[in-house]
C-alpha cells in the first residue's frame, strides 16, 4: 500500500515537472519568435536608412538595345539547333518591341557581332546603313569588337540580319534601298529549306511586298510572289503559303483585279490557319471579293469575323473592316447599331459612315447625295465610292418602306414627291420602283395602275411569321461556329499522348508524398 502511494506521488511529480518544462519551452519559443521579429524590424530600418546612399552609389541600368539584340541572336541560335519554332517566334516579337530603338550604329555593331566581317552578306548589308559618328555608338559596341564572331553563321541568323536592316530602311523611309535589300534577301532565301527559317521568311515576304507597294511598283513582283507561293507549297511551308496568298490577294485587289483574285483564292490549297494575323487579313480580302461579287451575306460574315479576331492594337485594320462591314450591312437592308460608330478610337474615322447610315435609315435621297458629296474624298481613299453608288437604290427602297407603313393608300405622284425623284418622268419612275419593291418582297402592297395608287396591306403580327425563327437560327449558328473555332484553336503540348505512363508515375509519387506528409503530421501531434 505504501509502495503504491509512493509510486502515485512520484508519477504526479513527474507529470507536474513535464508540464512545467512544456510551459517553459512554449514561453521560450514565444520569446525567441518576438526577438526575431524585433531584430528583423531593426534590420529593415537600418536598410531603409542605407538605401538612399546605396541608390546614389549604384544605379541599375536597363540593358541596351545592342545587348537585347545579342540575346535575341542567342535565342534564335538555340531555336535553330533545337528545331523549336516557338523560340524564333518569340525572337520576332521581341524584335518588334525594339523596332523604334534601332539605330545605324547598333545595327553596324550587331552585323559585326553575328556575321563575318568582309563576307558578301556583311558587305552588302553594311552598305545600306548610313555612316554615323563614333559618338553615337553605344557602350556595348566597344565590347562587341573583342568577341569573336561565328565562323559559320547559321542561316537563321543571316535571314534575321536581313530582316533587321530591311525594317530599319523602311522606318527611315529609304524605300528605294529597301527594295534592293528585300530583293536580294528574297533571292538568298530561295535556297533555304528549313522549318526554323519559315517564320523569318514570312516576315521578309511581307516587307518585300510592302517596300514595293510604298514605291507604287507592286505589279512588278506579282510573278515573283506566285513563284514563291508555288515553292512554299512544294516545301509544305504552310505559314509561307498563308502570307504569300494574302500578299497576292492584296496585289490583285490593289489594281481592282477581283476576278483573278477569286480564281487564285478558290484554287489555292486550304489548311488550318497558323497565324491569327494572316487569317484576319484573309477574311478581310475575302469579304471585299464577296462584296464586289454581290454576295453580301458571306461578305458580312467574313468582315465581321475579321474585325472580331483582329487584336486591339491593330486599330487601323479594325477601322477599315468596320467601314466595309457597315456598307455591306446597308446593302443588305440592315441598319448598323450606334455602338459600332462609338467604339474607342474609331469615332472620327467612322463619322462619314455614321452620317451615311443616318441618311439611309431615314430614306432621304437628298440627304444621301449631300453626305456622298461631302465625304467623297474619304470614300474614294477607302475605295468604297463604287459601293456608295449602289446604296442609292437602298435609300429609295427604305423611303418607300416608310411610306407604305405610314399610308394605307397613296398616289404615285405623292410617292415620287416624297422620294424626291429628280427624273424627267418621276411618276413613271415611281411606278417602276414600287412594282420592283413589291416583286422583291420589300413592301407588302398592291399597285392600282388605273387610278395611279399604291395600296398597302395591313401589317400582321410578325411573330406569326418565320422571321423570329430565322433570327434565332442565325444566332445559334453563330454561337456554334464560335464554339467550333475555339475547340480547333486549343493547343496541347507536343507528344502529350506518349506521356501517359509518366503522368501515372507522377500521380503515384504525389500520393506517396501526401501519405508521408500525413504521417509526419501525426508524429508531431503525438509529441505534444
Amino acid at each position: 500500500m505504501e509502495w503504491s502511494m509512493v509510486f502515485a506521488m512520484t508519477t504526479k511529480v513527474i507529470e507536474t515537472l513535464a508540464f512545467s518544462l512544456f510551459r517553459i519551452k512554449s514561453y521560450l519559443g514565444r520569446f525567441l519568435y518576438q526577438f526575431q521579429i524585433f531584430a528583423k524590424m531593426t534590420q529593415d530600418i537600418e536598410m531603409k536608412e542605407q538605401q538612399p546612399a546605396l541608390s546614389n552609389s549604384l544605379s541599375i541600368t536597363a540593358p541596351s538595345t545592342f545587348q537585347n539584340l545579342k540575346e535575341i541572336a542567342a535565342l534564335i541560335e538555340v531555336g535553330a539547333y533545337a528545331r523549336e519554332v516557338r523560340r524564333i517566334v518569340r525572337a520576332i516579337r521581341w524584335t518588334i518591341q525594339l523596332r523604334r530603338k534601332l539605330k545605324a550604329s547598333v545595327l553596324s555593331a550587331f552585323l559585326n557581332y553575328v556575321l563575318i566581317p568582309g563576307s558578301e552578306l556583311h558587305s552588302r548589308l553594311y552598305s545600306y546603313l548610313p555612316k554615323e559618328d563614333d559618338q553615337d555608338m553605344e557602350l556595348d559596341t566597344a565590347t562587341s569588337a573583342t568577341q569573336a564572331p561565328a565562323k559559320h553563321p547559321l542561316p537563321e541568323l543571316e535571314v534575321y540580319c536581313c530582316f533587321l536592316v530591311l525594317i530599319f530602311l523602311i522606318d527611315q523611309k529609304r524605300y528605294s534601298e529597301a527594295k534592293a535589300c528585300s530583293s536580294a534577301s528574297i533571292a538568298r532565301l530561295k535556297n533555304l529549306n528549313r522549318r526554323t527559317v519559315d517564320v523569318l521568311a514570312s516576315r521578309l515576304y511581307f516587307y518585300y511586298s510592302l517596300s514595293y507597294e510604298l514605291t507604287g511598283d507592286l505589279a512588278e513582283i506579282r510573278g515573283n510572289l506566285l513563284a514563291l507561293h508555288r515553292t512554299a507549297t512544294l516545301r509544305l511551308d504552310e505559314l509561307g503559303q498563308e502570307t504569300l496568298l494574302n500578299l497576292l490577294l492584296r496585289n490583285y485587289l490593289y489594281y481592282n483585279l477581283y476576278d483573278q483574285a477569286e480564281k487564285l483564292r478558290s484554287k489555292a490549297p486550304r489548311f488550318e490557319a497558323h497565324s491569327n494575323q494572316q487569317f484576319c487579313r484573309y477574311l478581310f480580302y475575302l469579304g471585299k471579293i464577296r462584296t464586289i461579287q454581290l454576295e453580301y451575306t458571306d461578305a458580312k460574315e467574313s468582315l465581321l469575323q475579321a474585325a472580331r479576331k483582329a487584336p486591339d492594337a491593330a486599330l487601323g485594320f479594325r477601322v477599315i473592316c468596320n467601314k466595309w462591314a457597315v456598307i455591306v450591312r446597308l446593302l443588305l437592308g440592315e441598319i448598323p447599331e450606334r455602338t459600332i460608330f462609338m467604339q474607342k478610337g474609331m469615332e472620327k474615322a467612322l463619322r462619314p459612315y455614321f452620317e451615311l447610315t443616318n441618311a439611309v435609315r431615314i430614306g432621304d435621297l437628298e440627304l444621301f447625295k449631300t453626305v456622298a458629296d461631302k465625304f467623297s474624298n474619304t470614300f474614294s481613299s477607302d475605295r468604297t465610292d463604287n459601293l456608295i453608288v449602289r446604296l442609292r437604290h437602298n435609300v429609295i427602297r427604305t423611303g418607300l418602306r416608310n411610306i407604305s407603313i405610314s399610308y394605307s393608300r397613296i398616289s404615285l405622284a405623292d410617292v415620287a414627291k416624297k422620294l424626291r425623284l429628280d427624273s424627267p418622268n418621276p411618276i413613271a419612275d415611281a411606278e417602276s420602283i414600287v412594282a420592283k419593291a413589291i416583286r422583291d418582297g420589300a413592301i407588302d402592297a398592291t399597285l392600282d395602275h388605273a387610278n395611279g395608287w399604291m395600296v398597302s396591306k395591313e401589317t400582321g403580327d410578325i411573330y406569326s411569321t418565320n422571321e423570329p425563327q430565322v433570327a434565332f437560327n442565325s444566332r445559334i449558328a453563330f454561337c456554334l461556329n464560335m464554339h467550333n473555332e475555339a475547340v480547333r484553336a486549343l493547343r496541347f503540348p507536343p507528344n502529350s499522348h506518349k506521356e501517359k505512363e509518366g503522368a501515372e508515375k507522377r500521380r503515384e509519387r504525389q500520393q506517396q508524398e501526401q501519405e508521408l506528409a500525413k504521417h509526419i503530421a501525426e508524429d508531431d501531434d503525438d509529441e505534444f
Side-chain angles (χ1 to χ4, degrees):
M1 187 71 179
E2 294 179 357
W3 286 104
S4 62
M5 292 178 62
V6 171
F7 180 77
M9 292 178 63
T10 305
T11 304
K12 189 173 182 180
V13 170
I14 292 173
E15 290 178 353
T16 305
L17 290 174
F19 181 73
S20 301
L21 289 174
F22 176 75
R23 295 290 297 273
I24 292 172
K25 181 180 178 181
S26 62
Y27 288 146
L28 287 175
R30 293 178 182 177
F31 176 74
L32 290 174
Y33 178 72
Q34 293 179 358
F35 180 77
Q36 290 176 356
I37 293 176
F38 177 75
K40 185 173 180 59
M41 291 174 62
T42 306
Q43 185 178 5
D44 292 341
I45 293 173
E46 293 177 355
M47 291 294 292
K48 289 180 180 179
E49 292 176 354
Q50 296 177 0
Q51 187 174 1
L54 291 175
S55 62
N56 293 330
S57 60
L58 297 176
S59 60
I60 301 175
T61 58
S64 61
T65 305
F66 179 71
Q67 186 65 28
N68 289 329
L69 290 178
K70 290 196 296 184
E71 294 178 3
I72 292 174
L75 183 62
I76 293 176
E77 189 174 359
V78 172
Y81 283 121
R83 297 182 180 180
E84 294 182 354
V85 181
R86 60 183 180 87
R87 296 183 184 272
I88 311 296
V89 175
R90 190 185 307 169
I92 292 294
R93 292 177 180 174
W94 196 353
T95 305
I96 298 302
Q97 296 176 1
L98 299 174
R99 182 172 180 176
R100 296 183 178 180
K101 301 179 181 179
L102 294 179
K103 298 180 180 179
S105 58
V106 178
L107 291 179
S108 301
F110 183 72
L111 293 179
N112 294 331
Y113 173 76
V114 174
L115 302 177
I116 301 175
S119 62
E120 185 271 336
L121 180 61
H122 179 273
S123 302
R124 178 166 52 81
L125 293 179
Y126 197 81
S127 63
Y128 296 125
L129 300 178
K131 303 299 184 293
E132 296 184 358
D133 297 335
D134 295 337
Q135 297 178 356
D136 297 335
M137 302 287 286
E138 296 188 9
L139 296 177
D140 286 337
T141 58
T143 61
S144 65
T146 60
Q147 299 180 3
K151 294 183 179 180
H152 300 285
L154 293 172
E156 288 80 3
L157 289 176
E158 293 180 355
V159 176
Y160 179 72
C161 291
C162 298
F163 169 69
L164 276 180
V165 174
L166 181 56
I167 62 175
F168 172 76
L169 293 175
I170 292 177
D171 291 341
Q172 296 296 322
K173 297 183 179 180
R174 299 165 58 186
Y175 301 135
S176 59
E177 297 180 1
K179 285 173 56 177
C181 179
S182 61
S183 300
S185 302
I186 293 298
R188 190 180 188 87
L189 195 63
K190 292 179 180 179
N191 300 324
L192 299 177
N193 185 12
R194 295 162 66 100
R195 297 284 75 83
T196 50
V197 181
D198 293 345
V199 180
L200 296 167
S202 63
R203 292 300 180 119
L204 273 182
Y205 296 149
F206 173 77
Y207 289 107
Y208 171 59
S209 176
L210 179 62
S211 61
Y212 276 83
E213 182 179 353
L214 292 173
T215 55
D217 301 328
L218 199 57
E220 295 180 6
I221 62 171
R222 190 179 302 157
N224 292 335
L225 292 178
L226 289 171
L228 290 171
H229 184 268
R230 181 171 60 252
T231 304
T233 305
L234 295 176
R235 293 177 177 177
L236 301 180
D237 179 11
E238 295 185 352
L239 182 58
Q241 293 179 59
E242 283 183 348
T243 306
L244 290 168
L245 178 60
N246 287 332
L247 293 177
L248 285 167
L249 292 178
R250 183 181 183 86
N251 197 310
Y252 284 124
L253 298 182
Y254 185 82
Y255 295 100
N256 296 325
L257 302 176
Y258 289 92
D259 292 337
Q260 297 184 24
E262 174 58 22
K263 290 179 181 178
L264 173 65
R265 188 208 63 82
S266 61
K267 295 183 179 180
R270 300 179 182 179
F271 41 82
E272 294 186 1
H274 292 266
S275 173
N276 182 61
Q277 292 86 348
Q278 298 299 331
F279 187 52
C280 290
R281 292 191 181 101
Y282 174 77
L283 289 175
F284 173 64
Y285 298 144
L286 179 60
K288 292 181 70 174
I289 295 172
R290 291 286 185 262
T291 303
I292 299 300
Q293 294 179 342
L294 305 180
E295 300 176 7
Y296 298 135
T297 303
D298 297 338
K300 170 192 169 184
E301 183 179 354
S302 299
L303 292 170
L304 292 179
Q305 192 175 3
R308 284 194 301 266
K309 287 181 174 292
D312 295 335
L315 181 61
F317 180 79
R318 292 191 295 118
V319 166
I320 192 65
C321 285
N322 281 289
K323 287 180 179 179
W324 278 75
V326 166
I327 297 296
V328 170
R329 294 185 65 179
L330 291 176
L331 289 172
L332 282 171
E334 302 177 3
I335 302 298
E337 299 80 5
R338 183 181 290 267
T339 55
I340 294 178
F341 305 98
M342 301 301 173
Q343 299 182 56
K344 185 178 180 181
M346 300 186 187
E347 298 89 348
K348 184 177 180 181
L350 295 179
R351 183 67 185 179
Y353 294 86
F354 174 73
E355 295 188 13
L356 187 69
T357 303
N358 188 36
V360 175
R361 180 182 61 84
I362 297 174
D364 191 344
L365 195 58
E366 289 293 330
L367 180 60
F368 173 77
K369 292 180 181 179
T370 303
V371 173
D373 295 336
K374 179 181 178 181
F375 299 103
S376 59
N377 294 331
T378 303
F379 298 144
S380 179
S381 62
D382 295 337
R383 296 195 172 187
T384 56
D385 46 355
N386 293 331
L387 303 178
I388 303 300
V389 175
R390 298 184 188 179
L391 280 176
R392 182 179 182 277
H393 179 69
N394 291 66
V395 175
I396 296 174
R397 179 173 292 186
T398 303
L400 186 60
R401 188 184 300 115
N402 295 334
I403 293 173
S404 66
I405 294 173
S406 303
Y407 298 91
S408 60
R409 188 179 65 180
I410 186 172
S411 63
L412 295 177
D414 293 336
V415 170
K417 184 178 179 180
K418 289 183 176 296
L419 293 178
R420 299 182 181 180
L421 300 178
D422 52 354
S423 58
N425 192 359
I427 298 178
D429 290 344
E431 185 176 1
S432 62
I433 290 172
V434 171
K436 189 175 186 302
I438 294 173
R439 186 194 64 182
D440 296 340
I443 58 175
D444 191 7
T446 57
L447 192 60
D448 189 352
H449 296 280
N451 299 320
W453 290 339
M454 182 186 74
V455 181
S456 302
K457 297 182 180 178
E458 296 182 1
T459 57
D461 186 9
I462 193 173
Y463 291 98
S464 62
T465 63
N466 293 330
E467 291 192 14
Q469 182 180 357
V470 172
F472 280 117
N473 184 37
S474 63
R475 296 178 184 178
I476 292 172
F478 171 76
C479 294
L480 290 176
N481 188 23
M482 181 176 292
H483 175 266
N484 294 334
E485 290 180 359
V487 171
R488 285 196 296 267
L490 290 175
R491 295 183 178 180
F492 300 94
N495 299 327
S496 59
H497 60 285
K498 298 181 181 179
E499 299 179 357
K500 187 175 181 180
E501 297 181 357
E504 293 178 356
K505 291 181 180 180
R506 192 183 305 109
R507 196 179 300 108
E508 293 178 359
R509 178 175 55 80
Q510 292 176 356
Q511 187 176 0
Q512 292 176 0
E513 290 178 355
Q514 291 177 359
E515 293 178 355
L516 180 61
K518 185 177 180 181
H519 289 308
I520 293 174
E522 291 177 354
D523 294 340
D524 294 337
D525 293 337
D526 293 339
E527 290 180 0
F528 288 100

